[in-house]
Amino acid sequence: MDKSDGCCSTHLIDGDGVFNVAGVENFIKEVKLAECGLSYAIVSIMGPQSSGKSTLLNHLFNTNFREMDAYKGRSQTTKGIWMARCVGIEPCTLVMDLEGTDGRERGEDDTTFEKQSALFALAVSDIVLINMWCHDIGREQAANKPLLKTVFQTPLENLEPVLREDIQKIWDSVPKPQAHEETPLSEFFNVEVVALSSYEEKEEQFKEQVASLRQRFFHSIAPGGLAGDRRGVVPASGFSFSAQHMWEVIKENRDLDLPAHKVMVATVRCEEIAHEKYDSFTANEEWCQLKEAVQSHPVGGFGKKLSSVLNACLSEYDAEATFFDEGVRSTKRKQLEEKLLQLVQPAYQSMLGRIRSDTLERFKEAFDKELKGGIGFAMAAHECTVSLMSQFDEECADAVIDQAKWDSSRVRDKLKRDIDAHIAEIRTAKLAEVTTLYENKLNDALAGPVEGLLDGAADDTWPAIRKLLQCETHTGLSGFSTALSGFEMDEQTRENMVLRLKDYARGVVEAKAKEEAGRVLIRMKDRFSMLFSYDSDSMPRVWTGKENIRAITKTARSASLKLLSVMAAIRLEDERDSIENTLSVALSDGGASTKKGIGSPDPLASSTWNEVSASKTLITPIQCKSLWKQFNTETEYIVTQAIAAQEANRRNNNWLPPPWAVVALLILGFNEFMTLLRNPLYLGVIFVAFLLVKALWVQLDISGEFRNGALPGLLSLSTKFLPTVTNLLRRLAEAGQRKANNEPQHNTTPASKSSRGTTASSEVTSVNRGE
């Protein structure tokens, strides 16, 4: 490439018809043609060899094309097609210097390149200069008529009349499409004839004429300019590709379809621009930051930021592709936009996902806080749902990308389903908590009292249980209904839950009754033991021999039988039954003996009660009979022990001799008795001896020792006798010593002697009482 005073030139097509791709690309970069858009013009010149084409261009546009050396004679100076930038011409104007025609170097029959270069110049140029010597006009070959004929056989869109006279004849003889057989040449070509003096003969005049002509090239593409009505211009950025493809079409002798070529150039260039903008967008730092940030958290202003980046990318595409075919440009822009949106859609979906998950978490927190604040469940759910869904809509609107028409309704529906599912889950848990709370209250209010009532089984036990159940159930259901009002459930659901709680209360009573029925034998034995072994004052009975064991036993067993009849069935409805009567007749002593005597069938030989359903039966008749038998067996020992204790007590209390023996002793011992009366000292000794014996009797518990038999009593007394006597004497000595220390020293008088005797008697009595 040559440069001289701002002029740049390059070999566009060499003499062999090879397009210089690399050279043209460098040339376009050097002159910054791609920045010109449509504001550029292409001027070409054709004419006979050595007709001064290069010289004319150099003077007209300040280019530096190589000119012919006149001293060497006529010869081919320009080979192929050269291109240069015109200096000082606005807009940017490129000029192509074509190889001269009719040159001896190619031979008289080799006109292929001439025709190809002429077609190429007409196809890519806005202005075509045909350089002709004035004295050649009217000639056939010298005037380039065959060349012009070839030119006019190109597509009609590229034809403009150049000459007025000879050209019209050529135009008339050129085959034309049927639709344009009568179309004048002026419809396609603006022909201007400019006469220039010979540079060698009239240099000054030539320069003036060239300067005047040069002025016409300023603003050549403006309205009224030399190329002011040009159509189908290829944008400057696509010139290289367009020119290369055009030359290939011409060389291959294909029909030159300029509109199709224009679309093809626009397609290629718009695709290239779109690809560049797509790559530029993928490397955009702001986009990369948004894409990375949205993976971890919602990004504020996501839609606005991304829309700005997309808009900048599409604007750059519009700016670079604005001069290409509108249909192609729009199509490729749409494809670029779709491709960019496809690229950013995952980030947008991630953004929506983050918004959805964050909104759901905020809903859970707000909902939990509202519930803890005491607000009703339904109201809390409604308020939190409306508030958080509104926030979601706002954040989704903030994430909307202007270039896309994406619908966030599916994500919104997913969030709504998640919120509803969470509400349903919490609702179920809260209802379970409320239900459990009132079930526990009913269990506490019923289980213990029912157990106590059944333990003290009496005629009013089941009426009391029914009253308790009714009262506690009413209280519990009232509170439960109030608690359910905050959930705003339908009436049927509420009634079902209340009914289930009511059934639960009944179930607690029934379960406790079944539990107590399983321990009925223990309860019966406890009741029997309490009534048999303790009196009405709850004091342990002492079987002294005066108690009526048979009557006590009958009373205790009747009470136990009463307990069994109460526990035999559940009576939560006020219905009468004959269980107690049946048991009394069948199991009491009189009834049992009577039934045995008459040989009637056993009323307890059954698994059901006549007036009680199986679901309410706790103890079947046959089980009652078995339990009663076991009860009698296990309580028989207590009765036997009581009878044995009573007999032993009677024996222990009969230690005095019979009355006749007492009378005999009085009669036969009358003399001895009188002797004792005459001598009081004997009575004192006997009295002291009696006190000592009494004391030993109490201390040794002789009656208790002999309760279990004579031999065991004697053995036990033999081991306790000496220690007891020793202990008794020691205590008497200690008592006498304390008395002597407390009395003052004075003369002994009979009264004092009597007093000492009384004191000694008191000490013996004290010992006798175990003090």
Side-chain angles (χ1 to χ4, degrees):
M1 181 180 297
D2 299 327
K3 285 198 263 183
S4 177
D5 298 330
C7 171
C8 299
S9 62
T10 187
H11 205 174
L12 184 63
I13 299 173
D14 64 16
D16 296 327
V18 178
F19 194 92
N20 184 13
V21 179
V24 173
E25 292 293 338
N26 291 333
F27 172 79
I28 290 175
K29 291 179 181 179
E30 187 67 27
V31 301
K32 300 180 180 179
L33 181 63
E35 301 176 4
C36 296
L38 296 180
S39 184
Y40 76 102
I42 303 294
V43 180
S44 61
I45 189 169
M46 63 180 66
Q49 180 176 302
S50 302
S51 61
K53 300 186 299 299
S54 301
T55 301
L56 175 61
L57 294 178
N58 290 340
H59 283 81
L60 185 60
F61 299 115
N62 293 328
T63 55
N64 57 357
F65 293 120
R66 193 159 69 93
E67 302 176 4
M68 182 188 72
D69 189 351
Y71 295 101
K72 294 182 179 180
R74 293 195 175 200
S75 62
Q76 187 180 49
T77 304
T78 302
K79 295 182 180 181
I81 301 176
W82 284 77
M83 174 178 282
R85 178 182 179 181
C86 302
V87 179
I89 301 295
E90 293 296 336
C92 177
T93 301
L94 304 180
V95 62
M96 293 191 303
D97 188 9
L98 274 66
E99 179 181 315
T101 61
D102 197 19
R104 63 182 178 81
E105 285 79 6
R106 291 191 180 272
E108 63 180 69
D109 295 328
D110 189 6
T111 60
T112 301
F113 186 80
E114 294 177 4
K115 296 176 180 179
Q116 291 173 345
S117 60
L119 291 175
F120 176 75
L122 288 173
V124 301
S125 301
D126 299 302
I127 303 170
V128 177
L129 302 176
I130 299 178
N131 192 38
M132 298 175 59
W133 291 96
C134 59
H135 54 264
D136 287 334
I137 297 176
R139 300 179 182 178
E140 184 70 18
Q141 298 294 333
N144 281 324
K145 284 185 179 181
L147 177 60
L148 291 177
K149 186 175 182 180
T150 300
V151 169
F152 293 149
Q153 286 176 341
T154 62
L156 298 180
E157 293 83 0
N158 295 316
L159 298 181
E160 296 281 347
V162 180
L163 299 174
R164 308 274 185 216
E165 299 175 358
D166 293 339
I167 295 178
Q168 187 61 47
K169 296 179 182 178
I170 298 173
W171 175 254
D172 293 338
S173 62
V174 170
K176 295 178 283 294
Q178 184 176 359
H180 294 282
E181 287 182 354
E182 303 300 328
T183 304
L185 178 65
S186 58
E187 287 290 324
F188 302 101
F189 290 94
N190 292 326
V191 179
E192 293 189 18
V193 179
V194 179
L196 295 176
S197 302
S198 172
Y199 175 73
E200 290 84 356
E201 297 176 358
K202 300 179 180 180
E203 180 178 352
E204 292 301 326
Q205 185 179 357
F206 172 80
K207 290 182 178 181
E208 290 178 1
Q209 293 171 343
V210 167
S212 176
L213 179 61
R214 175 183 173 87
Q215 292 298 322
R216 301 189 61 185
F217 282 94
F218 280 90
H219 309 295
S220 59
I221 62 174
L226 292 175
D229 58 348
R230 63 179 183 167
R231 290 170 289 177
V233 182
V234 176
S237 61
F239 173 77
S240 174
F241 177 81
S242 176
Q244 180 184 359
H245 184 264
M246 189 72 69
W247 179 248
E248 292 176 355
V249 171
I250 293 173
K251 282 188 65 178
E252 295 173 3
N253 291 321
R254 290 185 289 180
D255 292 335
L256 188 59
D257 186 356
L258 289 180
H261 173 77
K262 174 185 174 183
V263 171
M264 183 272 298
V265 173
T267 300
V268 173
R269 279 298 300 147
C270 288
E271 284 183 352
E272 291 178 352
I273 295 172
H275 183 71
E276 292 173 0
K277 299 310 166 189
Y278 181 83
D279 291 343
S280 174
F281 180 86
T282 57
N284 184 277
E285 183 177 355
E286 187 174 359
W287 153 243
C288 293
Q289 291 176 351
L290 285 175
K291 180 174 66 173
E292 182 178 356
V294 81
Q295 300 301 318
S296 57
H297 62 275
V299 179
F302 175 84
K304 185 177 181 180
K305 294 177 182 178
L306 190 53
S307 297
S308 175
V309 179
L310 287 170
N311 187 60
C313 179
L314 294 174
S315 297
E316 291 176 4
Y317 169 86
D318 292 337
E320 295 187 23
T322 186
F323 302 115
F324 290 102
D325 179 80
E326 183 178 358
V328 175
R329 182 177 72 245
S330 299
T331 300
K332 297 303 177 183
R333 188 187 193 279
K334 185 177 180 181
Q335 293 176 356
L336 173 61
E337 186 175 355
E338 291 176 352
K339 193 175 180 181
L340 290 174
L341 291 178
Q342 186 178 6
L343 175 66
V344 304
Q345 189 174 24
Y348 174 76
Q349 294 297 332
S350 296
M351 179 65 180
L352 292 186
R354 292 293 177 187
I355 294 175
R356 182 191 64 80
S357 59
D358 280 14
T359 303
L360 181 60
E361 290 302 319
R362 292 199 303 272
F363 171 83
K364 292 179 180 179
E365 294 176 1
F367 188 42
D368 184 62
K369 184 177 180 181
E370 291 291 326
L371 292 178
K372 290 180 178 178
I375 191 171
F377 183 91
M379 183 179 294
H382 175 72
E383 292 182 355
C384 291
T385 299
V386 172
S387 175
L388 270 299
M389 290 303 295
S390 176
Q391 293 181 25
F392 174 80
D393 292 338
E394 292 176 1
E395 293 181 14
C396 283
D398 184 62
V400 168
I401 300 173
D402 297 339
Q403 293 79 4
K405 303 299 180 183
W406 293 328
D407 186 10
S408 61
S409 60
R410 293 181 63 184
V411 180
R412 192 181 194 278
D413 293 342
K414 177 65 167 59
L415 173 62
K416 187 62 170 61
R417 289 195 300 271
D418 292 341
I419 288 177
D420 291 344
H422 181 71
I423 292 174
E425 181 182 355
I426 298 301
R427 184 176 186 271
T428 301
K430 290 295 182 182
L431 286 175
E433 288 180 6
V434 172
T435 303
T436 302
L437 173 64
Y438 281 90
E439 285 179 351
N440 291 336
K441 287 183 177 180
L442 285 174
N443 187 73
D444 294 340
L446 293 172
V450 168
E451 181 178 350
L453 289 171
L454 292 175
D455 186 36
D459 292 333
D460 63 343
T461 295
W462 282 108
I465 291 177
R466 286 196 298 270
K467 184 177 180 181
L468 174 68
L469 175 62
Q470 182 180 5
C471 179
E472 295 298 337
T473 301
H474 176 75
T475 302
L477 293 183
S478 177
F480 187 63
S481 298
T482 302
L484 292 182
S485 62
F487 289 89
E488 292 186 0
M489 61 182 63
D490 59 273
E491 188 63 23
Q492 185 62 41
T493 303
R494 191 189 69 81
E495 289 181 359
N496 290 338
M497 294 189 68
V498 171
L499 183 60
R500 283 196 294 270
L501 185 63
K502 185 176 181 181
D503 293 340
Y504 175 82
R506 185 185 181 95
V508 170
V509 175
E510 292 179 351
K512 179 54 66 174
K514 291 178 182 178
E515 181 183 343
E516 293 302 311
R519 297 199 294 261
V520 66
L521 182 60
I522 299 175
R523 297 291 190 189
M524 291 169 64
K525 291 192 295 183
D526 290 343
R527 174 166 289 195
F528 178 86
S529 177
M530 177 62 67
L531 295 177
F532 185 82
S533 301
Y534 294 86
D535 58 19
S536 59
D537 296 327
S538 299
M539 297 298 292
R541 292 184 188 276
V542 178
W543 304 106
T544 62
K546 299 177 181 179
E547 297 82 11
N548 188 349
I549 294 180
R550 178 179 295 275
I552 295 173
T553 302
K554 185 176 180 179
T555 301
R557 285 181 175 173
S558 296
S560 298
L561 186 63
K562 180 70 175 180
L563 189 148
L564 180 61
S565 66
V566 170
M567 298 296 299
I570 297 173
R571 301 175 180 88
L572 294 180
E573 286 77 22
D574 190 9
E575 298 176 354
R576 299 289 181 179
D577 60 66
S578 59
I579 294 178
E580 183 177 0
N581 184 54
T582 302
L583 290 176
S584 178
V585 171
L587 299 179
S588 64
D589 293 340
S593 61
T594 302
K595 295 300 179 181
K596 284 183 180 181
I598 64 175
S600 299
D602 188 355
L604 298 183
S606 174
S607 60
T608 58
W609 300 104
N610 292 333
E611 295 127 349
V612 180
S613 63
S615 61
K616 298 178 181 179
T617 300
L618 297 176
I619 307 172
T620 63
I622 193 68
Q623 289 174 335
C624 287
K625 184 176 181 180
S626 177
L627 286 170
W628 186 254
K629 183 178 180 180
Q630 185 177 356
F631 166 76
N632 284 334
T633 301
E634 294 184 7
T635 58
E636 189 65 31
Y637 177 74
I638 300 177
V639 178
T640 303
Q641 287 290 91
I643 294 173
Q646 194 176 57
E647 291 296 330
N649 191 48
R650 286 175 180 172
R651 289 194 301 269
N652 292 334
N653 291 333
N654 291 335
W655 55 275
L656 293 176
W660 62 267
V662 173
V663 174
L665 287 175
L666 290 175
I667 294 173
L668 296 176
F670 178 77
N671 294 330
E672 287 79 4
F673 179 70
M674 293 304 293
T675 302
L676 291 175
L677 290 177
R678 294 187 186 99
N679 191 354
L681 182 59
Y682 290 157
L683 290 176
V685 172
I686 293 172
F687 180 70
V688 172
F690 170 76
L691 292 178
L692 290 175
V693 171
K694 183 64 176 177
L696 288 174
W697 183 278
V698 174
Q699 290 292 323
L700 294 174
D701 191 18
I702 295 175
S703 60
E705 294 295 341
F706 282 97
R707 187 177 299 168
N708 296 324
L711 182 61
L714 291 174
L715 292 175
S716 177
L717 289 175
S718 65
T719 59
K720 295 168 59 178
F721 181 77
L722 290 177
T724 303
V725 172
T726 303
N727 183 47
L728 182 60
L729 295 176
R730 179 178 58 80
R731 293 177 66 182
L732 287 173
E734 291 177 355
Q737 183 66 31
R738 286 198 301 272
K739 201 69 173 179
N741 292 335
N742 292 332
E743 291 181 354
Q745 297 293 330
H746 56 78
N747 294 327
T748 302
T749 63
S752 64
K753 290 182 181 178
S754 176
S755 177
R756 283 197 296 273
T758 303
T759 301
S761 176
S762 299
E763 291 296 334
V764 173
T765 303
S766 177
V767 173
N768 185 29
R769 293 178 180 174
E771 295 180 357

